[in-house]
Amino acid sequence: MNISKKLILIVILTVTVASVTIFSAFEIAKGAKFHQLNFLHLKYINQLTKSFESIRQGAPINTNTIKKDILVIRQQPIECLLQANVLNKFIMNIINTSQALTICKKDIMIANTALESISQYENSEITRNEFITGLEHAIYNFNKNSNEFEQPINKTVTFILITLIPLVLIISMLNIIIISYLSRTISSSIRNLTILLSSKSKDNANLDDDLESNTTDELKALIIAAKQRIKKDLLNLEFSKELQAIVKTQTASLQQANDELAQFAYRASHDLKSPLSGAKSLAQFIIQDIKTGDTDEAINNAKKIHQQMEKLEKLVIDILALAKADIGSEDVTKIDFDQLIVDMTERLDWLIKDNNCTFEATMRLSKTITSEKARFAQIIENLVSNGLKYHDKNKASSYVKCDIFDRGNELIIIVSDNGLGIPKQYQSQVFDMFKRFHVDTSSGSGIGMALVKKHIEYFDGEISLESSTAGTTFKVTLPMDKIV
Amino acid sequence: MNTIKPPILIIDDDEVDRYVLKRLIKETQLPLNIFEKKDGQEALDFLQNYEENKKEDPDGFPPVLIFLDINMPRVNGIQFLEEFAKLREIIEVDSCVVMMFSSSAREEEKEKIMTYDFVKDYLVKGSFKADELKEKLLSIIDFSLYEN
Ligand SMILES: Nc1ncnc2c1ncn2[C@@H]1O[C@H](COP(=O)(O)OP(=O)(O)OP(=O)(O)O)[C@@H](O)[C@H]1O
Ligand SMILES: [Mg+2]
């Protein structure tokens, strides 16, 4: 039986008990009413007797008073009959007390006969004496009936009392027992469910099975609805949290991109402007030098202009490369790493020779790589040129090594040198734009490593460095599937 | 003949910029003793070594004027100003003032620079001639103190 049926049963039982109790109370009250009516009856009979006594002693007969008295006497048996319902009559039949009702009927008849004799007397159909005898007879009968009425009524009332009160008690007891049983089953199924739900979460399938076998229909429905609701809410919560997180990171990265851009614009314009303003002044000095005939100084200054222009050219090329690094190119080819290294070595030849370094490259690739060649060329060339530029003059021999190989699903490029190293405190800034830590050692625009980083990020790869005064090693790891 | 010249210090990482400034100073024909440092850190080291430098060169140290670039490696111009402000409380460089010497500065940098009362002027690289420089130098350095 499910909970709502149990609850309906409880309501029905309660209503029944209440109505039986109320009914019994009414029935018991009715017994009292019968007694009361009989008491009234006797009082009115008494009243009539008094009038009758005075008439017998010779007083004139006031028919109206007598008639009134008899009418009120007749009223109680009438009411009595009205009060007795089918059930009362039935009970009275069984316990043999129905004579009480017969007595009532008799009383009414007596009253009617008396009333008739009054009108006969008024019409002078009977004599005063005949009237008095009739009345005396009526009074006698009234009294007799009234006495006889008490006994069956007492019996009936007692019967009602001894049957209804235990009946009410028994029904109430039963009711209490049934209701407490039902409520216990309801609370125990709720308790079971609570225990089941608050028990240490085992795996979900298990819990579902337990729920299936241990809960009634409605609780099961409740649990299912709650489960769905919670799932939905959790989903919503997760979703909105995710959204917030996305917005936050997006905002942060936008802010960072914006800051970077502002920084870049400032530094780039500054670095582009400075060789130009230098050259402008130098050109003026050359004019003066020629005017004063100082050709040596003029030649020096012209050389300086040339250097400035070379610096500017490199900077412009670097900035362009940096700008392009963010954009994907269609220019995807099979990369011949051997050729790439040969071309690069040619370009860096002067650096290798100037700095008295050895450069060595090894390649172990199990498959051909098809990708944007320019990015690979720039990554490798910047790492190698840094190794050469920041070599350590105080070491007996300087070297730069480059290893390119694949492992699993990764392409790895390792460039190591025994150069000056990067001081610990600057290592986190190596990839920042325009940051340079060995200004005296070599010139540069400070863009190389930022460019390398950009390319690696483009491929979703990683770059790490290890550096000490013994030298520096950069390790680039690129996921194969992102390269193409 | 007077051999004592007012000492000045140029702090700039760019060799060409230093050369240009030196040459313009030479054109002003003002007698100046020029020191050069390649970044803020070098300059701070030089100034912090006050006692020794003073002993070695009692009249030529400390500098009376510093030309200061902003964009420099290690310690840049702004960072130098911060450190120099602290340094002024320890050593006797009260008479030393700063003239910014840069091709460009950001707004926030300009604001920072303005908070130091020992910064007297702002020169934009490549935008001034020798006679303008001479005027500025004369307004800052009292050459009469060096003539005897
Ligand atoms: N292998 C290395 N050994 C020592 N220092 C290095 C090495 N690689 C980079 N650095 C330091 O990191 C700084 C930034 O390098 P990056 O390549 O970005 O700039 P750069 O070499 O100065 O200029 P360019 O843009 O011309 O390459 C260098 O100035 C140098 O101080
Ligand atoms: Mg480099």
Side-chain angles (χ1 to χ4, degrees):
Chain A
M1 193 160 40
N2 63 29
I3 293 176
S4 61
K5 278 186 190 142
K6 283 177 189 167
L7 287 174
I8 289 172
L9 190 63
I10 288 175
V11 170
I12 290 172
L13 280 170
T14 312
V15 169
T16 315
V17 170
S19 23
V20 167
T21 312
I22 291 168
F23 173 75
S24 309
F26 271 115
E27 286 307 301
I28 289 163
K30 209 185 269 174
K33 176 84 180 173
F34 282 136
H35 283 302
Q36 200 187 358
L37 282 172
N38 200 21
F39 177 75
L40 263 181
H41 200 54
L42 273 172
K43 185 185 148 198
Y44 293 137
I45 293 169
N46 210 23
Q47 208 170 302
L48 180 63
T49 313
K50 269 186 200 154
S51 325
F52 172 72
E53 285 301 328
S54 60
I55 289 170
R56 214 165 52 169
Q57 269 148 37
I61 298 169
N62 186 346
T63 48
N64 274 342
T65 326
I66 308 262
K67 203 191 271 175
K68 236 188 255 165
D69 284 347
I70 291 172
L71 279 175
V72 284
I73 289 171
R74 194 181 64 172
Q75 202 50 42
Q76 290 88 49
I78 290 173
E79 261 181 56
C80 224
L81 288 175
L82 284 175
Q83 288 282 328
N85 56 28
V86 186
L87 186 73
N88 299 142
K89 282 175 190 161
F90 177 72
I91 293 172
M92 284 171 140
N93 260 330
I94 291 174
I95 60 168
N96 238 345
T97 54
S98 44
Q99 71 260 36
L101 298 177
T102 326
I103 289 169
C104 287
K105 282 178 198 151
K106 266 194 212 159
D107 250 18
I108 295 169
M109 267 155 60
I110 294 164
N112 285 343
T113 322
L115 285 172
E116 212 173 291
S117 69
I118 290 174
S119 49
Q120 276 174 346
Y121 175 75
E122 277 171 343
N123 296 336
S124 307
E125 285 167 19
I126 53 168
T127 64
R128 178 185 161 102
N129 269 349
E130 274 170 332
F131 176 71
I132 290 173
T133 318
L135 198 57
E136 188 177 20
H137 189 70
I139 290 172
Y140 170 77
N141 278 330
F142 278 145
N143 272 319
K144 184 173 152 254
N145 283 346
S146 192
N147 278 335
E148 283 171 5
F149 184 74
E150 267 310 290
Q151 194 261 339
I153 285 301
N154 263 342
K155 200 176 169 192
T156 315
V157 168
T158 319
F159 178 79
I160 288 174
L161 275 177
I162 59 170
T163 49
L164 280 185
I165 289 177
L167 181 76
V168 168
L169 284 178
I170 289 166
I171 292 177
S172 304
M173 289 302 277
L174 269 177
N175 189 40
I176 289 169
I177 291 168
I178 295 171
I179 288 177
S180 52
Y181 167 74
L182 290 176
S183 59
R184 203 170 312 145
T185 61
I186 292 173
S187 61
S188 89
S189 58
I190 292 174
R191 200 170 36 241
N192 277 345
L193 183 64
T194 316
I195 291 169
L196 203 65
L197 287 178
S198 53
S199 65
K200 286 260 148 33
S201 54
K202 303 172 259 177
D203 60 316
N204 263 338
N206 222 334
L207 184 67
D208 283 349
D209 286 350
D210 283 353
L211 283 176
E212 190 65 38
S213 55
N214 286 336
T215 45
T216 53
D217 297 345
E218 282 153 318
L219 288 178
K220 216 182 282 171
L222 173 76
I223 290 293
I224 290 169
K227 232 164 91 177
Q228 275 164 355
R229 177 62 198 264
I230 290 169
K231 234 187 229 168
K232 214 168 89 188
D233 283 0
L234 275 179
L235 218 72
N236 275 342
L237 197 73
E238 233 169 68
F239 190 63
S240 75
K241 263 189 196 156
E242 244 167 59
L243 254 174
Q244 275 174 6
I246 290 172
V247 170
K248 215 170 156 187
T249 49
Q250 295 266 34
T251 317
S253 73
L254 270 179
Q255 182 64 46
Q256 197 193 338
N258 205 24
D259 291 350
E260 257 175 39
L261 200 68
Q263 169 84 4
F264 172 76
Y266 169 69
R267 278 304 302 249
S269 71
H270 174 271
D271 286 18
L272 288 169
K273 204 173 148 193
S274 113
L276 281 175
S277 65
K280 193 172 109 188
S281 302
L282 288 168
Q284 244 153 9
F285 295 156
I286 292 175
I287 297 170
Q288 286 171 7
D289 291 338
I290 291 173
K291 272 186 190 156
T292 54
D294 190 348
T295 39
D296 285 348
E297 193 61 16
I299 290 170
N300 267 341
N301 286 338
K303 276 184 188 157
K304 277 192 186 122
I305 290 180
H306 182 74
Q307 278 167 11
Q308 293 285 87
M309 290 303 108
E310 271 189 334
K311 207 167 120 184
L312 189 59
E313 189 183 21
K314 174 164 169 15
L315 183 64
V316 170
I317 290 170
D318 285 353
I319 287 175
L320 277 178
L322 200 65
K324 270 203 247 166
D326 281 331
I327 312 157
S329 156
E330 300 291 288
D331 196 10
V332 172
T333 51
K334 279 188 184 139
I335 303 175
D336 181 348
F337 278 93
D338 290 294
Q339 190 57 45
L340 190 148
I341 294 289
V342 169
D343 292 346
M344 181 190 79
T345 317
E346 228 165 75
R347 278 195 302 274
L348 297 180
D349 195 45
W350 63 276
L351 249 184
I352 299 173
K353 287 202 175 114
D354 273 12
N355 295 342
N356 209 5
C357 286
T358 56
F359 173 64
E360 211 175 274
T362 57
M363 257 136 333
R364 279 167 286 130
L365 288 170
S366 65
K367 42 199 149 196
T368 41
I369 310 271
T370 309
S371 186
E372 291 174 48
K373 187 176 149 195
R375 291 184 192 270
F376 284 88
Q378 284 172 19
I379 291 173
I380 297 166
E381 182 163 335
N382 272 295
L383 291 175
V384 172
S385 72
N386 280 349
L388 296 168
K389 272 157 68 172
Y390 308 108
H391 75 290
D392 190 350
K393 275 179 242 158
N394 298 323
K395 281 174 189 142
S397 60
S398 294
Y399 68 79
V400 179
K401 281 193 242 171
C402 174
D403 284 313
I404 304 171
F405 58 95
D406 59 328
R407 192 172 55 195
N409 201 27
E410 286 173 341
L411 177 70
I412 294 164
I413 302 169
I414 294 177
V415 177
S416 52
D417 62 59
N418 65 340
L420 293 165
I422 303 161
K424 263 255 141 30
Q425 71 265 34
Y426 300 132
Q427 285 182 9
S428 61
Q429 303 173 29
V430 169
F431 303 104
D432 293 354
M433 256 182 262
F434 303 111
K435 287 277 161 71
R436 310 191 64 236
F437 316 110
H438 303 94
V439 214
D440 299 337
T441 315
S442 174
S443 66
S445 39
I447 287 180
M449 293 307 286
L451 180 62
V452 168
K453 183 86 195 271
K454 269 229 154 76
H455 287 318
I456 289 162
E457 274 170 1
Y458 177 82
F459 289 131
D460 276 345
E462 269 164 34
I463 181 162
S464 60
L465 82 139
E466 250 171 63
S467 189
S468 68
T469 45
T472 307
T473 302
F474 283 99
K475 181 180 175 188
V476 178
T477 313
L478 302 172
M480 280 291 195
D481 47 340
K482 290 280 166 63
I483 290 176
V484 184
Chain B
M1 201 194 131
N2 174 31
T3 50
I4 304 163
K5 297 187 224 164
I8 63 163
L9 174 62
I10 300 174
I11 311 175
D12 195 324
D13 60 322
D14 195 310
E15 199 196 321
V16 173
D17 286 343
R18 286 200 307 272
Y19 171 81
V20 170
L21 184 59
K22 274 190 289 178
R23 198 163 150 158
L24 286 170
I25 290 170
K26 214 168 99 190
E27 262 179 53
T28 64
Q29 290 177 326
L30 291 170
L32 288 166
N33 186 12
I34 302 172
F35 295 94
E36 288 174 55
K37 296 295 161 203
K38 278 182 266 176
D39 66 36
Q41 190 56 57
E42 260 187 30
L44 285 171
D45 291 344
F46 173 69
L47 292 171
Q48 262 153 357
N49 223 350
Y50 183 82
E51 300 296 337
E52 238 172 73
N53 286 330
K54 185 82 189 164
K55 231 184 273 165
E56 243 171 60
D57 190 1
D59 297 313
F61 190 88
V64 290
L65 172 65
I66 296 174
F67 285 100
L68 180 64
D69 184 21
I70 295 177
N71 285 297
M72 288 183 292
R74 298 207 291 177
V75 175
N76 67 28
I78 306 295
Q79 292 163 327
F80 173 84
L81 286 176
E82 271 167 40
E83 292 303 313
F84 185 58
K86 289 182 209 158
L87 206 60
R88 289 170 71 88
E89 289 166 13
I90 310 167
I91 58 173
E92 294 167 49
V93 281
D94 284 352
S95 56
C96 176
V97 294
V98 174
M99 195 178 280
M100 300 311 292
F101 175 63
S102 172
S103 56
S104 58
R106 273 176 283 195
E107 273 318 305
E108 70 248 37
E109 288 174 342
K110 276 184 193 155
E111 271 168 35
K112 259 232 182 99
I113 291 165
M114 292 319 213
T115 62
Y116 300 103
D117 53 2
F118 53 81
V119 177
K120 291 298 173 206
D121 214 330
Y122 191 106
L123 291 179
V124 178
K125 285 179 182 173
S127 73
F128 57 94
K129 297 225 167 68
D131 35 342
E132 285 168 56
L133 182 65
K134 184 171 183 175
E135 239 170 68
K136 285 189 193 291
L137 285 171
L138 284 172
S139 75
I140 288 170
I141 304 167
D142 187 357
F143 283 91
S144 63
L145 292 176
Y146 297 86
E147 286 163 10
N148 33 16

